Amino acid sequence: MKTMNLSVNSPIREDDILSPYDGSVVGRMPVAGEAEVDAAVEKALKGFEVMRRLPRFIRADILDRAADIIDGRREEFVRLIAAEAGKPLYDARGEVSRSLFNLRNAAREARAFSGKEVPLDVDSAVFEYQTSNADGGALKLDRADLDTLANLGRRVGIARHFPIGPILAITPFNFPLNLVLHKVAPALAVGNSVILKPAPQTPLTSKLLAEVLLEAGLPEDALLVVHCDVPLAEKLVRDDRIPMVTFTGSAGVGWHIKSIAGKKKVSLELGGNGAVVVSDDADISFAAARCVRGGVVYGGQYCIGVQRILVHEKVYDRFEEELVSRVRACAVGNPLEEGIDVGPVIDERSAIRIESWIDEAVAQGARVLTGGKRDRALIEPTVLTDTTMDMKVEAEEIFGPVVTLNKVASAEEGVQRAASSRYGLQGGYFTNDMRAAFRALETWDVGGLMINDVPIYRIDNMPFGGWKDSGLGREGTRYAMESMSDIKFLVFNYG
């Protein structure tokens, strides 16, 4: 099997990649210095020249073979994700399943992705002005016979998509395989090369993925994994040889990237403080169960996780009882043990921040209905009530297993409060009133609204992205391929 060459020189150092649960060393990752980063760009430019010439079926076959290899090594990927990201085994297995779909869907799209014919004979005055008689004179439509019109109309316009060059993909820790593939798979499918800068906490999964893609037949310089410090990552963002940067992570970092990216394309999939509105006609047990899943999955480290729950006053007491009892039943502990619902957050520093936000909210008048305690990087699943919109636990993205629960006089009030956030990634609305659901979408500026479900619902071919501070552009295989390519327009006159 080929091995992945991360650099042209010996690495300056190697980082220990630590388990968020107990601090044990999961593995070591070479750190790229300035020379290695520059070499990666040069290699990616060469890799692009190969990728852009490959027929569709070759790109598609590589993606399909990579899916088959991962499927055969599924448990290896599951264990690595669980170890370096602290993700419970159930959710790590779900991530691998989603990743297989992501690769195979990218293979399908690689075979089918195409441009379209653009009609050119749609306006009589423009047709008259833009064409001429055989002798070059002005066309007079009222004097033209059918043969003349038919001949002059023999122009076909074709908009074709072409790859644009090396894509810089900067990815987060919370889905170290699937969110990486949301960028890598469509980029390769359309014929680009990729420079992948994974999250510093979870580079080992990216390294293993790159080895699999190489084994599947990917050209050697088509994917380069660069584990480097922030200043060098910023240098890559500024590099004019890279035509696009695609980033998933926090809003602050994302908008900073946009500010320094220059003329290149930028796609940002940023954070959120996902809200759920529960109407008085909702299925309360189902809504509560889904809110628990949406709020505590992977320790709440999910950009579309449930953070704010707004419940109609008529059903509030019943919903609170159901929600709190289900949260208390969650199993918290070692993510490598079967049956664990909630593992650690990514590191103790993050856990301390989450704990401080809980304490601050309580000091400002909020009440803890359950949870609220910390043990190293483990945060107990927590439900807060009597929170206000200006508290950090509502206004900002907490990225932890913490939900706020508040009563509203009507579902309309709930939608209004949910929509008041500066974020707009996805939302959930439990109601059987379809008129209310469609009207909510008109005023609730989110990239996706889930009716009778929570905002964590995502199938990987969906258009995915946010409004307002939650991002710019859309992911989902075909939508990402569109952003990672550009159009050349051909007009052919065969008259």
Side-chain angles (χ1 to χ4, degrees), residues 26-75:
V26 179
R28 297 179 65 82
M29 186 72 183
V31 180
E34 188 165 4
E36 289 78 28
V37 168
D38 287 339
V41 177
E42 290 295 334
K43 288 182 175 184
L45 290 167
K46 294 176 182 176
F48 171 62
E49 293 304 321
V50 175
M51 288 297 295
R52 72 192 303 183
R53 297 175 63 188
L54 290 181
R56 298 168 183 271
F57 70 87
I58 293 181
R59 288 180 263 130
D61 286 350
I62 291 168
L63 294 165
D64 272 331
R65 281 196 296 270
D68 291 342
I69 294 167
I70 293 173
D71 200 9
R73 300 169 65 180
R74 184 187 290 257
E75 200 61 18

Side-chain angles (χ1 to χ4, degrees), residues 72-95:
R73 300 169 65 180
R74 184 187 290 257
E75 200 61 18
E76 179 184 357
F77 274 89
V78 166
R79 291 278 165 179
L80 181 55
I81 292 168
E84 73 170 343
K87 181 170 287 191
L89 291 171
Y90 176 82
D91 296 306
R93 291 182 180 117
E95 179 173 353

Side-chain angles (χ1 to χ4, degrees), residues 242-479:
I242 298 172
M244 180 177 179
V245 56
T246 172
F247 170 81
T248 297
S250 70
V253 175
W255 294 115
H256 172 66
I257 284 172
K258 185 175 184 297
S259 74
I260 66 173
K263 297 178 183 178
K264 60 174 57 65
K265 284 186 171 187
V266 176
S267 175
L268 303 175
E269 197 271 275
L270 307 179
N273 56 351
V276 172
V277 176
V278 181
S279 181
D280 59 343
D281 68 345
D283 181 331
I284 299 304
S285 293
F286 178 70
R290 289 296 288 162
C291 282
V292 173
R293 172 68 182 161
V296 307
V297 61
Y298 185 38
Q301 298 170 120
Y302 208 133
C303 59
I304 47 176
V306 174
Q307 184 171 328
R308 300 174 292 148
I309 308 173
L310 303 159
V311 183
H312 196 292
E313 60 186 7
K314 290 183 180 178
V315 294
Y316 177 86
D317 290 342
R318 191 153 53 97
F319 184 91
E320 180 190 293
E321 181 181 0
E322 186 96 25
L323 181 80
V324 171
S325 67
R326 288 178 179 273
V327 169
R328 286 176 177 157
C330 291
V332 181
N334 186 346
L336 287 166
E337 292 179 4
E338 299 289 353
I340 293 297
D341 299 305
V342 182
V345 295
I346 193 62
D347 52 38
E348 190 166 4
R349 183 179 63 177
S350 298
I352 291 169
R353 175 193 59 78
I354 295 164
E355 181 185 40
S356 73
W357 285 21
I358 295 170
D359 292 343
E360 181 181 287
V362 171
Q364 294 171 344
R367 289 186 295 120
V368 177
L369 295 178
T370 188
K373 295 183 175 61
R374 178 181 69 85
D375 178 13
R376 295 175 300 167
L378 285 167
I379 294 282
E380 285 183 347
T382 302
V383 181
L384 297 171
T385 191
D386 297 337
T387 57
T388 57
M389 290 163 48
D390 59 341
M391 293 178 182
K392 286 179 184 174
V393 292
E394 276 206 44
E396 301 299 330
E397 181 181 41
I398 195 163
F399 227 56
V402 180
V403 298
T404 66
L405 176 64
N406 286 285
K407 187 185 302 183
V408 290
S410 66
E412 292 76 18
E413 179 190 332
V415 169
Q416 185 179 20
R417 182 164 170 175
S420 66
S421 170
R422 69 186 180 96
Y423 295 107
L425 195 47
Q426 292 202 156
Y429 189 7
F430 286 87
T431 181
N432 291 310
D433 184 344
M434 290 299 101
R435 290 184 302 173
F438 277 103
R439 288 172 183 170
L441 189 61
E442 295 175 2
T443 56
W444 192 350
D445 291 335
V446 286
L449 181 58
M450 308 300 123
I451 303 303
N452 291 319
D453 213 339
V454 290
I456 65 161
Y457 183 82
R458 182 184 182 185
I459 305 300
D460 296 282
N461 59 343
M462 287 166 46
F464 182 80
W467 287 52
K468 300 185 283 189
D469 277 1
S470 285
L472 181 71
R474 291 293 178 270
E475 291 195 343
T477 314
R478 173 169 285 271
Y479 305 94

